[in-house]
Amino acid sequence: MEKMRVVQEYVPGKQVTLAHLIANPRQELCEKLGIGASGAIGILTITPSEAAIIAADAATKTANVQIGFMDRFTGSVVITGNVSAVEAALKQVTNLLAEGLGFTAAKMTRS
């Protein structure tokens, strides 16, 4: 049987492809992510990936949130805090990247 191969390719561009808020996550999810119990989790995926550094900086300067995870090689950022703080941080990050730096930003979603 032939093994299937998956090729991933990133297209150059400036965009926030995901901005999602998870309100009141279950303890199991927090544990699997390796973060402490939190009122909310914010998830961002950004290209170019180096902009994750800008996003993490802006998020922590905007509201009382902590960086749960940041990867400047994949553009993934996870922030934690209470629901209103995470929501404010996600809105500020997407606004900064879109309005200030000319990124295309996905609409923030919530679960």
Side-chain angles (χ1 to χ4, degrees), residues 7 10 12-13 22 28 30 33 36 38-39 47 54-56 60-61 74 76 78 83 86 95-96:
V7 177
Y10 290 100
I22 300 172
E28 180 183 8
C30 293
L33 290 172
S38 180
T47 55
I54 298 167
T60 57
K61 289 179 177 174
T74 64
S76 298
V78 174
V83 175
V86 170
N95 185 56
L96 169 67

Side-chain angles (χ1 to χ4, degrees), residues 75-100:
S76 298
V77 179
V78 174
I79 57 174
T80 62
N82 67 45
V83 175
S84 61
V86 170
E87 184 173 22
L90 288 175
K91 285 180 179 178
Q92 177 60 23
V93 168
T94 56
N95 185 56
L96 169 67
L97 293 176
E99 302 298 322

Side-chain angles (χ1 to χ4, degrees), residues 22-90:
I22 300 172
N24 304 308
R26 299 184 84 171
Q27 179 64 32
E28 180 183 8
L29 177 60
C30 293
E31 290 172 5
K32 296 286 183 184
L33 290 172
I35 58 177
S38 180
I41 299 171
I43 306 165
L44 293 156
T45 305
I46 304 163
T47 55
S49 57
E50 295 83 3
I53 300 165
I54 298 167
D57 178 60
T60 57
K61 289 179 177 174
T62 298
N64 185 23
V65 295
Q66 295 74 44
I67 300 169
F69 177 78
M70 184 196 63
D71 187 347
R72 65 186 174 99
F73 299 107
T74 64
S76 298
V77 179
V78 174
I79 57 174
T80 62
N82 67 45
V83 175
S84 61
V86 170
E87 184 173 22
L90 288 175

